[in-house]
Protein backbone atom coordinates (compact mmCIF):
# COMPACT_ATOMS: atom_id res chain seq x y z
CA UNK A 1 0.00 0.00 0.00
CA UNK A 2 2.93 2.31 0.46
CA UNK A 3 3.57 2.45 -3.28
CA UNK A 4 -0.02 3.50 -3.99
CA UNK A 5 0.25 6.40 -1.54
CA UNK A 6 3.44 7.54 -3.29
CA UNK A 7 1.62 7.36 -6.61
CA UNK A 8 -1.34 9.34 -5.24
CA UNK A 9 1.02 11.97 -3.86
CA UNK A 10 2.81 12.17 -7.21
CA UNK A 11 -0.43 12.50 -9.15
CA UNK A 12 -1.96 15.08 -6.84
CA UNK A 13 1.10 17.37 -6.85
CA UNK A 14 2.51 19.66 -9.47
CA UNK A 15 3.52 17.81 -12.65
CA UNK A 16 6.69 19.91 -12.93
CA UNK A 17 7.66 19.11 -9.34
CA UNK A 18 6.93 15.41 -9.91
CA UNK A 19 9.04 15.46 -13.06
CA UNK A 20 11.89 17.18 -11.24
CA UNK A 21 11.73 14.58 -8.43
CA UNK A 22 11.69 11.75 -10.95
CA UNK A 23 14.66 13.18 -12.85
CA UNK A 24 16.57 13.67 -9.59
CA UNK A 25 15.83 10.06 -8.57
CA UNK A 26 16.94 8.77 -11.98
CA UNK A 27 20.21 10.69 -11.69
CA UNK A 28 20.78 9.37 -8.17
CA UNK A 29 20.11 5.81 -9.36
CA UNK A 30 22.42 6.30 -12.34
CA UNK A 31 25.19 7.65 -10.12
CA UNK A 32 24.79 4.72 -7.73
CA UNK A 33 24.94 2.25 -10.61
CA UNK A 34 28.07 3.89 -12.01
CA UNK A 35 29.75 3.75 -8.60
CA UNK A 36 28.78 0.09 -8.17
CA UNK A 37 30.12 -0.71 -11.64
CA UNK A 38 33.45 0.96 -10.81
CA UNK A 39 33.69 -0.96 -7.54
CA UNK A 40 32.97 -4.22 -9.37
CA UNK A 41 35.69 -3.43 -11.93
CA UNK A 42 38.18 -2.68 -9.15
CA UNK A 43 37.27 -5.90 -7.35
CA UNK A 44 37.57 -7.87 -10.60
CA UNK A 45 41.04 -6.44 -11.17
CA UNK A 46 42.05 -7.49 -7.65
CA UNK A 47 40.69 -11.00 -8.24
CA UNK A 48 42.59 -11.28 -11.52
CA UNK A 49 45.83 -10.22 -9.85
CA UNK A 50 45.28 -12.68 -7.02
CA UNK A 51 44.49 -15.49 -9.49
CA UNK A 52 47.62 -14.69 -11.45
CA UNK A 53 49.71 -14.82 -8.27
CA UNK A 54 48.18 -18.19 -7.39
CA UNK A 55 48.89 -19.55 -10.87
CA UNK A 56 52.55 -18.48 -10.62
CA UNK A 57 52.80 -20.05 -7.17
CA UNK A 58 51.23 -23.27 -8.44
CA UNK A 59 53.56 -23.37 -11.43
CA UNK A 60 56.60 -22.89 -9.19
CA UNK A 61 55.38 -25.61 -6.81
CA UNK A 62 54.84 -28.07 -9.66
CA UNK A 63 58.22 -27.22 -11.18
CA UNK A 64 60.06 -27.71 -7.89
CA UNK A 65 58.15 -30.96 -7.25
CA UNK A 66 59.11 -32.36 -10.65
CA UNK A 67 62.66 -31.24 -10.23
Amino acid sequence: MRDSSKLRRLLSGSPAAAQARAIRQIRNNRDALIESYREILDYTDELLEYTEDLMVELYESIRSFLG
Side-chain angles (χ1 to χ4, degrees), residues 10-24:
L10 263 174
L11 293 175
S12 65
S14 159
Q19 183 180 13
R21 282 193 302 272
I23 289 171
R24 189 168 45 249

Side-chain angles (χ1 to χ4, degrees), residues 14-31:
S14 159
Q19 183 180 13
R21 282 193 302 272
I23 289 171
R24 189 168 45 249
Q25 187 62 47
I26 288 169
R27 284 186 183 140
N28 289 340
N29 291 348
R30 183 198 64 203
D31 292 345

Side-chain angles (χ1 to χ4, degrees), residues 25-58:
Q25 187 62 47
I26 288 169
R27 284 186 183 140
N28 289 340
N29 291 348
R30 183 198 64 203
D31 292 345
L33 283 171
I34 290 169
E35 181 62 28
S36 295
Y37 182 70
R38 286 183 179 144
E39 289 173 2
I40 289 169
L41 285 175
D42 288 342
Y43 183 67
T44 302
D45 285 343
E46 290 174 19
L47 284 176
L48 287 172
E49 287 177 23
Y50 180 68
T51 303
E52 184 179 311
D53 292 344
L54 286 175
M55 294 295 287
V56 168
E57 197 175 311
L58 176 63

